[in-house]
């Protein structure tokens, strides 16, 4: 038998964004808030991120992932949110009805508002199309991290890492500390994808070489990886002649990007951005479906959990407000990514309150500015010492700044 | 003597050029702010790191408890610290902040738990 329950706000995902959104939603007055998590425990990816560096913006100290998650789990409990663990959302319709599968059976959940906080997934070998055989010994960085830090399993002895994303760099250090050998990190771009701090403390500290403009072009081995072939990439994407060289390893670890996990959102018809692969949202974090909100890595991949939780608190408050009033201020001012900006969020603003814009630039640069215009006239200019695709930029525009504007354009300028 | 040290105090990540003699910095260049001086001095003459790793829990609901040193330790002692922590076993329950190893290798840093681990559930649920 299918049970039906009616609640005010449902939050899908019990990672940092989901926990922050659910607590904020309760505190903003939503009477019955349910957090749905498919794992047996809260915390999401933070459980396996045992390194420190979380919370420097929100708590002004460098906490480990589990400590950061623990703070939000306590907040969640104190705020009176119901937590449904080992529960998976298997259905989601545009009228905000969720179908949930758990040990109790199937539950039909009618909601006043939904917050999407499902996080992201790692890009895998299939996503980047490396040729060669299909042996054992190819892992994503997050999978290696889960095996090592949660299950106490070492998946290899001698690693080549493809991609210099932060997870990959963190794992290069972790593997080295635990006695594995990290031969090198290959990065196809001319600059590292991860933060400079991680390049210094995770690679340079351990003497691990980082090869830029370099990628893996072939994987060798039959039952197990025996090595990979590296090649240098010329500007424009061509392989440099004569640059192929074979490296012996037993494991290839991929750190080649993260993709918001929106299978569920897509099923309900939530409009997704082709650039971020996350929902298109307005300044209350509402998606194209009224009463459905998105935050955290399901919306855009963050480098800092602090900003994911700040964004989630706002989304949770909006969801509470929607579940009570069924309406939010209309957001009619479109926001466009101009020259040098890969994407900017939110895509629509109401002009009713201050907005924290988050964006990523297309290429690294120094001594330039982030400029907001209404298409012709300059609204705000922020001088930036350094801009890098690896570091999300966050800019606040106060109410009144976009009075009368028909649209906003954000660009990188001199 | 000269060295180039990437300052990681902030995302600007200045590639700071340092001129030094023994334990004295003679000049620094290419830094955009003053914070680089202290960072560079520490990094050159007394580099320290916080060690984060995990310890086995015998009979825990999870096989490992994550741990950290509650203050940074000299970088030169990190490898020895890992060896020492590696041999430690604990029994549940473990609570965040519990001291797992006191005064690790005489550094003054304690190894503390960074999460809770309950005993494994007994019997079928």
């Amino acid at each position: 038998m299918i049970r039906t329950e009616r609640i005010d706000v449902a939050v899908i995902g019990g990672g940092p964004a989901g926990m922050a959104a659910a607590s904020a939603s309760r505190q903003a007055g939503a009477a019955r808030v349910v957090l749905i998590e498919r794992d047996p425990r809260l915390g999401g990816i933070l459980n396996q991120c045992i390194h420190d560096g979380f919370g420097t913006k929100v708590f002004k100290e460098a906490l480990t992932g589990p400590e950061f998650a623990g703070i939000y789990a306590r907040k969640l409990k104190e705020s009176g949110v119901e937590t449904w663990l080992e529960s998976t959302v298997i259905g989601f319709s545009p009228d905000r009805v969720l179908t949930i599968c758990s040990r109790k059976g199937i539950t039909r959940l009618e909601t006043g508002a939904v917050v999407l906080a499902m996080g992201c997934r790692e890009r895998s070998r299939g996503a980047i199309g490396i040729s060669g055989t299909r042996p054992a010994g190819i892992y994503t960085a997050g999978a290696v991290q889960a095996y090592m830090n949660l299950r106490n399993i070492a998946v290899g002895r001698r690693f080549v890492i493809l991609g210099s994303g932060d997870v990959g760099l963190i794992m290069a250090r972790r593997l080295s500390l635990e006695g594995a050998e990290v031969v090198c990190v290959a990065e196809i771009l001319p600059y590292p994808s991860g933060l400079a701090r991680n390049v210094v403390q995770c690679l340079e500290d351990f003497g691990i070489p980082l090869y830029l403009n370099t990628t893996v072009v072939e994987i060798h081995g039959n039952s197990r990886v025996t090595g990979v072939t590296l090649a240098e990439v010329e500007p424009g994407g061509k392989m440099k002649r004569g640059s192929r060289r074979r490296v012996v390893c037993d494991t290839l670890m991929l750190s080649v990007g993260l993709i918001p996990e929106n299978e569920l959102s897509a099923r309900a018809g939530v409009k997704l951005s082709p650039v971020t692969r996350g929902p298109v949202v307005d300044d209350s974090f509402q998606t194209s479906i009224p009463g459905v909100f998105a935050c955290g890595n399901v919306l855009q991949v963050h480098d800092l959990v602090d900003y994911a939780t700040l964004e989630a608190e706002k989304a949770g408050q909006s969801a509470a407000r929607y579940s009570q009033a069924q309406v939010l201020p209309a957001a009619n001012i479109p926001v466009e990514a101009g020259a040098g900006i890969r994407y900017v969020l939110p895509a629509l603003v109401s002009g009713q309150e201050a907005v924290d814009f988050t964006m990523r630039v297309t290429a690294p640069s120094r001594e330039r500015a982030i400029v907001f215009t209404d298409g012709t006239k300059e609204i705000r200019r922020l001088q930036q010492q350094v801009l890098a695709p690896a570091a999300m930029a966050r800019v606040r525009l106060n109410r009144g700044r976009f009075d009368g504007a028909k649209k906003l354009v954000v660009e990188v300028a001199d | 003597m000269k060295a180039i040290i990437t300052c990681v105090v902030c995302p600007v990540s200045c590639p700071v050029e340092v001129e030094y003699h023994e334990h004295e910095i003679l000049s620094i260049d290419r830094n955009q702010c003053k914070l680089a001086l202290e960072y560079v001095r520490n990094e050159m003459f007394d580099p320290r790191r916080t060690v984060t790793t995990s310890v086995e829990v015998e009979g825990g609901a999870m096989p490992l408890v994550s741990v950290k040193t509650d203050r940074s330790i000299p970088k030169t002692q990190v490898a020895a610290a890992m060896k020492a922590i590696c041999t430690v076993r604990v029994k549940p329950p473990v609570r965040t902040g519990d001291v797992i190893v006191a005064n690790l290798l005489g550094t003054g840093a304690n190894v503390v738990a960074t999460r809770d681990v309950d005993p494994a559930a007994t019997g079928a649920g």
Side-chain angles (χ1 to χ4, degrees):
Chain A
M1 200 188 79
I2 297 178
R3 288 184 306 151
T4 294
E5 293 195 44
R6 162 122 205 111
I7 63 160
D8 298 289
V9 176
V11 179
I12 309 175
M19 292 193 291
S23 307
S25 206
R26 265 292 287 151
Q27 279 157 4
R32 191 171 174 207
V33 180
V34 173
L35 177 73
I36 305 147
E37 168 56 49
R38 66 182 169 196
D39 249 32
R41 64 180 70 90
L42 291 169
I45 204 70
L46 288 178
N47 284 308
Q48 67 188 65
C49 297
I50 65 172
H51 56 282
D52 67 343
F54 303 91
T56 52
K57 305 288 173 190
V58 174
F59 301 115
K60 307 290 175 220
E61 59 175 318
L63 302 168
T64 64
E67 289 171 310
F68 189 94
I71 292 172
Y72 280 86
R74 269 196 298 285
K75 240 186 220 186
L76 191 75
K77 212 170 170 187
E78 285 161 11
S79 65
V81 172
E82 281 175 50
T83 302
W84 296 6
L85 297 174
E86 298 182 288
S87 301
T88 306
V89 178
I90 55 170
F92 175 30
S93 57
D95 54 353
R96 299 190 308 272
V97 176
L98 304 178
T99 310
I100 296 160
C101 180
S102 72
R103 285 169 196 268
K104 287 185 280 184
I106 304 284
T107 306
R108 194 171 165 278
L109 201 59
E110 298 175 359
T111 69
V114 173
V115 181
L116 306 173
M118 294 90 80
C120 59
R121 277 184 180 274
E122 296 178 280
R123 290 175 77 206
S124 61
R125 178 186 181 179
I128 52 171
I130 308 170
S131 64
T133 52
R134 313 191 70 78
I138 305 166
Y139 296 87
T140 58
V144 177
Q145 191 179 44
Y147 276 121
M148 181 163 259
N149 294 348
L150 297 177
R151 302 184 60 181
N152 206 15
I153 295 169
V155 300
R157 294 264 166 259
R158 195 176 148 90
F159 289 74
V160 166
I161 301 179
L162 176 60
S164 59
D166 285 313
V167 195
L169 300 180
I170 294 288
M171 283 313 294
R173 171 174 63 188
R174 183 83 191 110
L175 289 163
S176 304
L177 285 173
E178 291 288 2
E181 191 182 349
V182 180
V183 185
C184 66
V185 176
E187 168 60 58
I188 195 166
L189 296 172
Y191 50 85
S193 305
L195 304 170
R197 182 188 176 83
N198 288 334
V199 174
V200 170
Q201 299 198 345
C202 299
L203 299 185
E204 290 174 13
D205 269 13
F206 297 92
I208 300 166
L210 168 62
Y211 302 130
L212 298 173
N213 300 306
T214 302
T215 192
V216 170
V217 289
E218 198 173 342
I219 297 170
H220 309 282
N222 289 317
S223 57
R224 176 80 196 190
V225 171
T226 56
V228 297
T229 298
L230 300 176
E232 285 174 44
V233 183
E234 290 177 333
K238 271 198 173 164
M239 296 302 148
K240 189 172 166 188
R241 267 178 172 273
S243 71
R244 287 171 67 102
R245 61 196 171 98
R246 194 161 163 160
V247 178
V248 174
C249 63
D250 62 22
T251 311
L252 173 65
M253 191 174 86
L254 305 174
S255 177
V256 291
L258 303 166
I259 301 172
E261 189 175 357
N262 277 294
E263 284 85 353
L264 208 53
S265 329
R267 211 178 306 165
V270 170
K271 190 178 164 198
L272 301 178
S273 153
V275 183
T276 60
R277 310 276 294 265
V280 174
V281 294
D282 65 18
D283 54 345
S284 51
F285 292 96
Q286 187 166 230
T287 67
S288 61
I289 300 181
V292 177
F293 301 81
C295 58
N297 282 350
V298 81
L299 174 60
Q300 59 177 335
V301 176
H302 291 72
D303 356 286
L304 299 176
V305 69
D306 300 63
Y307 292 144
T309 55
L310 290 176
E311 172 182 291
E313 282 168 359
K314 172 96 187 171
Q317 287 157 3
S318 303
R321 199 147 39 119
Y322 185 91
S323 74
Q324 288 156 354
Q326 273 77 54
V327 69
L328 289 170
N332 295 324
I333 309 170
V335 185
E336 291 172 15
I341 302 285
R342 194 162 75 82
Y343 76 83
V344 56
L345 282 181
L348 293 161
V349 295
S350 63
Q352 301 290 305
E353 49 188 275
V355 180
D356 289 313
F357 291 91
T358 48
M359 65 203 74
R360 281 185 195 274
V361 296
T362 51
S365 62
R366 281 177 185 269
E367 298 305 337
R368 303 198 78 197
I370 292 174
V371 176
F372 282 75
T373 71
D374 64 1
T376 48
K377 190 174 84 258
E378 189 171 306
I379 295 173
R380 180 131 205 240
R381 168 178 287 261
L382 294 113
Q383 210 57 39
Q384 304 285 312
Q385 283 192 320
V386 63
L387 287 168
M392 178 191 286
R394 209 160 180 274
V395 176
R396 167 164 287 204
L397 236 57
N398 284 322
R399 204 185 113 178
R401 284 272 188 185
F402 27 93
D403 259 2
K406 295 279 181 290
K407 67 168 181 179
L408 292 175
V409 181
V410 192
E411 56 196 25
V412 177
D414 290 321
Chain B
M1 298 267 280
K2 280 189 175 177
I4 293 178
I5 294 190
T6 309
C7 174
V8 300
V9 173
C10 84
V12 176
S13 319
C14 298
V16 184
E17 291 181 8
V18 191
E19 210 178 325
Y20 65 100
H21 178 71
E22 288 174 356
H23 275 46
E24 192 185 354
I25 290 179
L26 304 174
S27 73
I28 68 170
D29 195 15
R30 295 188 65 194
N31 55 307
Q32 296 190 1
C33 82
K34 287 183 204 157
L35 293 177
L37 182 60
E38 197 195 338
Y39 175 81
V40 165
R41 184 178 289 135
N42 291 338
E43 204 50 23
M44 291 198 61
F45 305 127
D46 184 25
R48 289 175 171 267
R49 297 287 185 266
T50 297
V51 175
T52 59
T53 181
S54 55
V55 162
E56 267 185 64
V57 186
E58 289 168 346
M62 300 175 73
L64 297 168
V65 59
S66 51
V67 299
K68 68 174 183 184
T69 53
D70 62 1
R71 68 188 71 173
S72 56
I73 65 169
K75 194 165 118 178
T76 50
Q77 299 220 54
V78 169
M82 283 299 294
K83 278 224 170 75
I85 296 168
C86 192
T87 59
V88 177
R89 302 280 180 279
V90 295
K91 289 205 159 59
V94 185
R95 292 288 166 255
T96 307
D98 284 359
V99 175
I100 308 293
V101 181
N103 190 14
L104 177 70
L105 305 175
T107 56
N110 296 322
V111 176
V112 299
T114 57
R115 69 167 304 132
D116 297 349
V117 177
D118 290 324
T122 47

